[in-house]
Amino acid sequence: MTDKSGGPAAEGAAGPGPHRSATTARTAVVWEALRGLLVDLARDTDAPLEIVDAGGGTGGAAVPLAELGHRVTVVDPNPDSLAALERRAAEAGVRVHALQGETRDLTDLLPPDHAHVVLVHNVLEYVEDPVAALADVVAVTRPGGAVSLLAANAVAGALHRALAGHVGDARRLLADPEGRWGDADPMPRRFTAERLAALVEGAGLVDPATRGVRVFADLLPGRVFEGDPREGRELVELERAAAGHPALAGIATQVHVVARRPR
Ligand SMILES: C[S@@+](CC[C@H](N)C(=O)[O-])C[C@H]1O[C@@H](n2cnc3c(N)ncnc32)[C@H](O)[C@@H]1O
């Protein structure tokens, strides 16, 4: 049964364990946006929403979404991740449809206009061609549906690299069009908010809502909030406040954009 309230996704995503406060603070802003989106889209239908998680990996988002009663499909090229996803879904007592493939395979694996929502979280950094990947994502999103993009912020990449003592890397990262600090950089690509906005517009998506994710959570030492639930809650509130702050959002570790496919 679909939880029309948007449900306890934030709790589900955070999961139990000692790092729960940190995880919650890092994911709260994204889940808040997703909850609002799902509530909005669920108004138009009595059936569960169709959600596709492109590059959904081991199901960190897909399983909590399925727990809310939505029909979730993960498309990911990594068979080990898909196996872990299936175990995670089984443990949670939900079904998630797992399909092996890349973003370029989306249009072969799924019918056109299939999904109410397509998640592309931490994936555009790795695809061969982000423009083509987003075109394939849009093709399987139904008119009026939404795409949720989460991507590494190049500005934060430079900030974190400098704070780790690698000042030259930070300067190189800022100057590099792909937001990389060098050949040894494990991240194939980082985005600025402007580049992501241009990508979204070029794909024909409209009404983008952009927020900064993990402004403070990745800068503070864990001990500040991990042992103290009250501090953990304060940090979540701080992340919420910072997500839309004109200056602070610019240094967030990730940029989150939710945009609609026109009807
Ligand atoms: C950093 S993980 C992100 C996983 C998940 N979306 C999350 O946010 O936790 C990147 C994922 O993208 C997948 N991936 C890599 N190249 C891809 C491609 N071309 N198309 C779709 N997924 C891809 C990887 O297998 C991996 O699961």
Side-chain angles (χ1 to χ4, degrees), residues 55-57 76-78 102-103 121-123 126-127:
D76 196 287
N78 187 328
E102 303 191 22
T103 49
H121 287 185
N122 309 304
V123 174
Y126 301 94
V127 299

Side-chain angles (χ1 to χ4, degrees), residues 63-122:
V63 169
L65 288 167
E67 288 180 297
L68 292 177
H70 302 297
R71 278 205 294 259
V72 186
T73 302
V74 168
V75 178
D76 196 287
N78 187 328
D80 295 337
S81 295
L82 293 177
L85 158 73
E86 282 175 337
R87 285 195 296 276
R88 192 176 199 160
E91 277 164 23
V94 294
R95 181 164 153 61
V96 173
H97 198 197
L99 297 174
Q100 191 174 355
E102 303 191 22
T103 49
R104 73 176 74 178
D105 303 313
L106 283 168
T107 54
D108 293 329
L109 294 170
L110 299 166
D113 306 345
H114 167 76
H116 294 89
V117 183
V118 183
L119 269 51
V120 191
H121 287 185
N122 309 304

